[in-house]
Amino acid sequence: MGSAQRGRRLRCAEAGLLVGLASLLSTACEPTAPGHPENGVVIGALLPFTGSESAIGRNLEQAMLLAVEHLNAAGGLDGRPFDLLSRDSHSGSNRGFDRLLDLLYRDQVAYLIGPEENDLALEIAPDVKGLDRFHMLPGYAAPSTARSESKGGWVRLAPSPFAVGCALAKDADREDVGTVNSLAARDDYNGKVSSEFATNFAGLGGRVLASVRLTSGEHTYVPKIEAAFGARAERTLLAAYPATASTIVTEWTISGRPGTWLLGPALRAEAFLANIPTGSLDGSFGVSPSLSLKGECRIVDEATETAECTTGNAAAFIDRFSRRWNGEVPFPAAHFYYDGVVLIAMGLVYAQATSGEVPRTGHALQKIIRELNSPDNEAASWRDLGAAMTKLRAGVPLRYIGAAAEYEFDDYGANKHHFMQKWTIDDHTFVDLAPVPVTCRVGL
């Protein structure tokens, strides 16, 4: 940790202590912030409202605001309304990290959602653990939760790098691809997607050729592109975030479009398509989280593991979101952000009903959310939160069927995903194809 970063943390911690002391001395001296209820149960969120990823920030916030509205219409936490406090990640800049520190130390939020940026989520992990706060990670590029902690509580909703790598490998194998490699950014998430893809593809009998790593923000990626396609693999996985990947694809197009890409899940983003040459990736394939519920999917051919899924649940959420926000359509990630708010609320309401108080630590809340979402418990849908909250207040444990998934968590708080969505690009537009089952064995 650098001295500047330590200094920011110390200043935020000192400010947080002063805020807490002031509230103890006189809560009447501080007016409630405009638009925020005085006795609200505050959920903090860090979202990209400015910078390279700003196109998604407001959409994700709208999903969480919709969840807050639905929860408050269902009675809140024993009459206390839920409330959302959002701050700007600045798409992962140092200013974004300062706003993240503000949420934890100045605003003293007990429940944190986001950020989308993997590096920021990793950087704040020591603070979440030290303060024993709860951290919900809905984003595709969230860090791994595969660690056992006695303080702090992490829950990951989107598929892990293992699930993504498995689906990419199985689809390449099903398409009779014999050799693969990757051009991957060095960050934690994309690096793990690349390595899981290679491991699972090799486990299926394929050959993994020399891969190439890159650092985001390089002046040009032409040497990296030439090195990656110089291996002459049948498919090259592009694992990077949209801003970097769009530069790579543009330079690749100018270079004559050598080879064929596979695309990582972070690249299913309209901002990515908007910044590459029109038609340059038509016919390319990728995978991203499936928004079909497990119960909406079935294997129709065991030999080829061909699957079919319906999309009624996701369509219902899209309709509800669009009616609330003047015809806007939620990004796929917004489904997970809605669910993140609801999962926190369900854990708090159930804990209040069964113990007489809300969990005092992030570690305790994570444990409650995991236990609630046991497959043995009765199901509750996002479509009827009123009925769900009534049962939770009566002490009935409920597992959540959300806008994005049916939730079931491993011991570390990572949601289990059984299918991924395959897609292609046609006429510069994303088009969904058949889903891919996640059936790889861990530790191949």
Side-chain angles (χ1 to χ4, degrees):
M1 186 193 308
S3 59
Q5 188 182 108
R6 285 195 297 270
R8 291 203 302 273
R9 279 194 165 105
L10 180 59
R11 288 193 296 274
C12 284
E14 291 171 344
L17 289 172
L18 290 173
V19 169
L21 178 60
S23 66
L24 288 172
L25 291 173
S26 176
T27 56
C29 293
E30 289 288 337
T32 302
H36 293 280
E38 184 176 356
N39 65 334
V41 181
V42 180
I43 296 173
L46 193 76
L47 300 167
F49 294 118
T50 59
S52 60
E53 307 300 325
S54 60
I56 197 172
R58 176 57 180 163
N59 194 268
L60 301 182
E61 184 184 49
Q62 287 172 323
M64 289 190 284
L65 290 171
L66 184 62
V68 166
E69 291 178 5
H70 290 171
L71 291 164
N72 289 342
L77 180 62
D78 281 353
R80 291 178 62 195
F82 289 97
D83 188 29
L84 184 70
L85 175 61
S86 301
R87 294 198 180 277
D88 188 1
S89 73
H90 298 277
S91 296
S93 71
N94 287 335
R95 293 173 64 195
F97 183 65
D98 288 340
R99 301 294 78 77
L100 190 49
L101 292 174
D102 286 344
L103 281 170
L104 289 181
Y105 291 100
R106 294 180 185 273
D107 305 315
Q108 297 186 330
V109 297
Y111 321 110
L112 175 66
I113 298 182
E116 274 288 290
E117 298 84 8
N118 180 275
D119 290 346
L120 288 184
L122 284 170
E123 200 169 2
I124 204 64
D127 299 82
V128 172
K129 181 177 179 179
L131 297 169
D132 207 349
R133 302 290 171 82
F134 178 82
H135 196 180
M136 177 69 70
L137 298 162
Y140 300 165
S144 171
T145 57
R147 59 183 181 271
S148 180
E149 302 283 4
S150 60
K151 293 183 67 179
W154 286 266
V155 169
R156 180 193 174 109
L157 302 187
S160 66
F162 172 81
V164 173
C166 169
L168 285 165
K170 292 187 74 67
D171 186 64
D173 179 68
R174 191 165 59 184
E175 296 291 331
D176 293 324
V177 173
T179 57
V180 302
N181 71 340
S182 64
L183 178 58
R186 294 183 187 277
D187 63 84
D188 177 70
Y189 176 73
N190 286 298
K192 286 182 178 177
V193 166
S194 173
S195 63
E196 293 289 3
F197 168 60
T199 299
N200 283 293
F201 189 74
L204 293 169
R207 288 180 59 217
V208 180
L209 305 182
S211 295
V212 178
R213 295 296 174 92
L214 61 91
T215 302
S216 297
E218 294 182 23
H219 176 67
T220 178
Y221 298 102
V222 170
K224 305 288 188 181
I225 295 169
E226 291 176 346
F229 287 102
R232 299 189 180 278
E234 293 176 51
R235 296 288 188 278
T236 297
L237 171 65
L238 178 57
Y241 293 124
T244 297
S246 61
T247 301
I248 291 170
V249 171
T250 300
E251 292 187 330
W252 171 76
T253 303
I254 294 171
S255 299
R257 299 170 63 185
T260 304
W261 293 113
L262 287 173
L263 303 174
L267 301 185
R268 178 149 187 173
E270 295 301 329
F272 173 60
L273 283 187
N275 288 287
I276 62 174
T278 301
S280 57
L281 289 182
D282 281 7
S284 297
F285 297 96
V287 300
S288 57
S290 171
L291 294 179
S292 294
L293 302 178
K294 180 183 176 184
E296 292 180 313
C297 296
R298 65 188 184 95
I299 303 291
V300 295
D301 188 327
E302 294 286 350
T304 62
E305 291 191 331
T306 303
E308 290 181 351
C309 295
T310 58
T311 58
N313 186 70
F317 179 74
I318 292 169
D319 178 68
R320 186 86 62 93
F321 184 102
S322 297
R323 284 190 282 112
R324 173 62 181 87
W325 300 111
N326 301 316
E328 289 190 46
V329 175
F331 293 131
H335 297 238
F336 288 102
Y337 275 80
Y338 176 96
D339 289 344
V341 174
V342 175
L343 284 163
I344 291 171
M346 290 179 68
L348 296 176
V349 170
Y350 180 75
Q352 179 84 6
T354 54
S355 69
E357 61 181 10
V358 298
R360 296 183 180 276
T361 68
H363 184 72
L365 179 56
Q366 191 246 36
K367 184 173 185 291
I368 291 169
I369 290 174
R370 286 193 290 110
E371 291 174 349
L372 278 179
N373 287 279
S374 165
D376 297 330
N377 291 338
E378 179 183 345
S381 172
W382 70 273
R383 303 191 203 201
D384 192 357
L385 291 180
M389 291 300 162
T390 297
K391 289 186 176 181
L392 288 168
R393 292 188 191 101
V396 178
L398 301 174
R399 60 183 175 88
Y400 180 50
I401 298 179
E406 298 178 45
Y407 290 97
E408 179 187 355
F409 298 100
D410 66 17
D411 292 341
Y412 306 106
N415 183 37
K416 299 179 181 180
H417 286 261
H418 302 278
F419 295 89
M420 296 286 290
Q421 181 64 56
K422 182 180 177 180
W423 45 267
T424 189
I425 300 175
D426 182 28
D427 196 21
H428 215 59
T429 302
F430 294 114
V431 178
D432 286 339
L433 301 172
V436 181
V438 179
T439 56
C440 301
R441 291 183 292 112
V442 178
L444 283 173

